[in-house]
Amino acid sequence: MSIPLDKIYSYFKTNEFPTQQQFEDSWSSFWHKGESIPTNKIIGLDNLLQNKTDKNIFETHISNPDSHANYLAKKDASNLSNENVQSWKTKLGVGSLPPNIATVDAYDEFGNISEFGNVYTRVQSNDMFMSYGDYTDNNGNILAEKIEALGLTTLIEVVEATISEFAEHSGAYVFEDNDFIAIPVNKDNYSLYMFKGGEKTDKSNYLPTGISNVTIGMVEGLQSSLNGKVDKPAADGKFYIKRQSGVTTTELLADETLKSVVNRGNYTPKSIKFGEETDPYYFGINKTNFNLYITKKDPDTDPATGIVNVGIGFQSLDNLTSGNYNSVVGSYSGSKISTGSRNAFLGNQVGAVTTTGSDNVFVGTKTGFKNTDGAYNTFIGSNAGVELTRGTDNTFIGSGAGINHGKGTSGLWGNNTFIGAGTATTTHAMGTYGDGNVVIGGTRL
């Protein structure tokens, strides 16, 4: 039962109270999700399905090799008639080969060769191709008067003195069957051999022409051809071709060194790797952050974002991240610097554990060794300020100056000035401590 929508709407107007029957009639006008909708209730579905092919029938049609045998060729051509075959040959140009090409063809019912192709007889073949006996003497040597008729134009000049030597070194030359090989007799004369084909290292495959003492001038065009070639190097080594003042020569290529590369005004776009192959050092500059290294770190793969840093020495600036403008020279020096900037370290193990400290100048062996985040310190001298960890604005000058300052304390002391070897090491159990001290005069430990 289907009730028009406008009537259903009237049941549910404001202040209206639908009856039980009206309620049932309203819901009966719609399809419930639990009910199946007949195909004939969907407008146009039956007609649409009538235009579809049955799946099973279609798959059977596809798998049947004879489905289109009347107008499509099978892969094995089993359904082609003789007429079909000739049509394909005509379309593809089969049977229209040049007249000097020999082909094997079928015979017709009268025993005659068909119109397609032309098989040559033995007599015809002998007439068309040169006979070995017509061009050589009784010893197998090529007759000089037949050379021009052979149409051989490639002449290979070699440096080997015998055909046996040439055969051994034949891999160094480029030549083909029927090419001439000119073996030098002396400076100006040659003996000619023809390569008949086969294994080039077998000397028996080179036929003597019977022509010897041939000069360059006797062979038309040879001098012009030779002018376009360079002499083969007589010694082993690496060579390059040099062209200067119109003359082409081969020159020995010396083993390259860094000096020879630089002297030629060359540069390397990548870092130089040296030392052991499995554990190398690198020398180079990163083209993105402009950090220069001579250390174990490969500049080309440096992940640091800090710029314009210089690290020279084993593990120098090994942990650099965003620190800028640091100059560190010495093994293990500045090896822990991460974000610290503008530090200048010179010496072995100088500022070895400095991480975030900035604007420090440390010179000497183990100078400022334990400094971590101290800043604006100037320590000059071996072991100067070696125990101070976090002090700022200190100036220690002299070997061992302030050597114990900050030892066992917070290490935050600042604004101290110690000048002299071993300065400020004896006035307290830990040496002079605190801020703002000035001590001049050394007491070496």
Side-chain angles (χ1 to χ4, degrees):
M1 178 179 180
S2 176
I3 299 175
L5 282 173
D6 57 345
K7 188 172 184 179
I8 293 175
Y9 294 153
S10 69
Y11 295 160
F12 297 88
K13 289 183 178 180
T14 304
N15 298 323
E16 295 291 335
F17 298 91
T19 66
Q20 177 180 343
Q21 185 62 44
Q22 290 175 331
F23 230 102
E24 290 178 356
D25 292 343
S26 297
W27 283 105
S28 297
S29 298
F30 302 97
W31 292 104
H32 191 271
K33 290 178 65 176
E35 298 179 307
S36 298
I37 301 176
T39 58
N40 60 359
K41 296 299 183 180
I42 301 175
I43 298 174
L45 179 59
D46 283 339
N47 289 335
L48 182 64
L49 293 176
Q50 288 299 321
N51 293 328
K52 303 293 182 181
T53 301
D54 183 88
K55 179 181 179 183
N56 293 331
I57 295 175
F58 182 70
E59 290 178 346
T60 300
H61 175 78
I62 292 176
S63 61
N64 186 357
D66 294 320
S67 295
H68 304 285
N70 290 332
Y71 55 91
L72 293 179
K74 293 184 178 181
K75 290 182 177 180
D76 59 0
S78 59
N79 63 331
L80 296 182
S81 64
N82 289 335
E83 182 179 355
N84 296 145
V85 173
Q86 292 302 327
S87 296
W88 274 102
K89 291 176 67 176
T90 301
K91 189 67 176 178
L92 297 175
V94 177
S96 302
L97 299 175
N100 63 336
I101 300 297
T103 58
V104 178
D105 303 282
Y107 291 80
D108 60 21
E109 64 272 21
F110 303 107
N112 299 317
I113 297 177
S114 68
E115 61 179 310
F116 298 99
N118 52 349
V119 175
Y120 295 125
T121 65
R122 177 182 175 184
V123 174
Q124 291 172 325
S125 296
N126 287 339
D127 289 341
M128 293 184 66
F129 301 104
M130 74 177 187
S131 171
Y132 179 79
D134 292 338
Y135 290 85
T136 59
D137 60 18
N138 294 333
N139 296 320
N141 295 330
I142 298 176
L143 300 174
E145 64 270 17
K146 297 294 185 179
I147 291 179
E148 183 178 357
L150 291 174
L152 305 177
T153 57
T154 304
L155 184 64
I156 310 300
E157 182 191 8
V158 302
V159 297
E160 287 75 13
T162 66
I163 195 63
S164 297
E165 292 179 6
F166 171 77
E168 292 178 4
H169 304 152
S170 56
Y173 299 88
V174 179
F175 59 97
E176 301 176 353
D177 296 359
N178 302 323
D179 282 347
F180 276 156
I181 310 300
I183 302 294
V185 176
N186 52 45
K187 183 178 179 181
D188 297 316
N189 296 337
Y190 299 85
S191 292
L192 300 184
Y193 293 80
M194 186 185 77
F195 176 56
K196 68 177 183 180
E199 182 57 51
K200 292 183 177 181
T201 57
D202 185 355
K203 68 176 182 180
S204 63
N205 289 328
Y206 299 88
L207 301 178
T209 64
I211 303 174
S212 60
N213 294 325
V214 178
T215 65
I216 293 177
M218 294 170 59
V219 182
E220 183 178 356
L222 178 58
Q223 184 63 64
S224 176
S225 177
L226 293 177
N227 289 341
K229 299 181 180 296
V230 296
D231 292 335
K232 175 185 175 183
D236 293 337
K238 295 181 293 185
F239 295 83
Y240 67 96
I241 297 177
K242 177 181 179 181
R243 179 74 174 177
Q244 187 173 4
S245 302
V247 179
T248 304
T249 59
T250 54
E251 302 290 337
L252 181 65
L253 181 63
D255 290 335
E256 289 282 27
T257 63
L258 181 59
K259 179 180 179 180
S260 65
V261 172
V262 174
N263 284 344
R264 292 202 307 272
N266 292 325
Y267 74 98
T268 171
K270 299 183 66 176
S271 300
I272 296 173
K273 184 167 64 174
F274 59 96
E276 296 294 331
E277 181 68 24
T278 56
D279 189 26
Y281 278 77
Y282 296 89
F283 172 32
I285 187 168
N286 185 286
K287 293 186 288 294
T288 300
N289 56 33
F290 304 105
N291 292 329
L292 173 67
Y293 297 105
I294 303 179
T295 182
K296 302 288 289 185
K297 179 185 291 189
D298 184 355
D300 296 330
T301 59
D302 178 22
T305 58
I307 63 172
V308 196
N309 296 280
V310 176
I312 300 176
F314 181 71
Q315 293 191 2
S316 172
L317 294 180
D318 240 17
N319 292 284
L320 183 69
T321 56
S322 60
N324 302 311
Y325 307 108
N326 295 288
S327 296
V328 178
V329 179
S331 295
Y332 302 101
S333 294
S335 61
K336 301 296 183 181
I337 291 178
S338 56
T339 61
S341 297
R342 299 173 299 280
N343 294 292
F345 296 168
L346 174 61
N348 187 43
Q349 302 183 69
V350 171
V353 297
T354 299
T355 55
T356 60
S358 298
D359 298 286
N360 296 291
V361 177
F362 298 161
V363 179
T365 299
K366 298 189 71 173
T367 305
F369 180 83
K370 292 186 178 181
N371 178 66
T372 57
D373 57 354
Y376 303 102
N377 297 293
T378 300
F379 300 161
I380 300 176
S382 296
N383 294 303
V386 69
E387 294 289 342
L388 195 61
T389 59
R390 307 183 66 192
T392 60
D393 296 293
N394 294 288
T395 301
F396 298 170
I397 300 176
S399 177
I403 191 171
N404 292 323
H405 195 67
K407 184 177 181 179
T409 67
S410 65
L412 286 171
W413 308 126
N415 297 291
N416 294 288
T417 300
F418 301 156
I419 301 176
T423 306
T425 60
T426 60
T427 58
H428 186 271
M430 293 178 295
T432 300
Y433 69 100
D435 300 319
N437 295 288
V438 176
V439 180
I440 301 175
T443 300
R444 180 176 295 281
L445 295 180

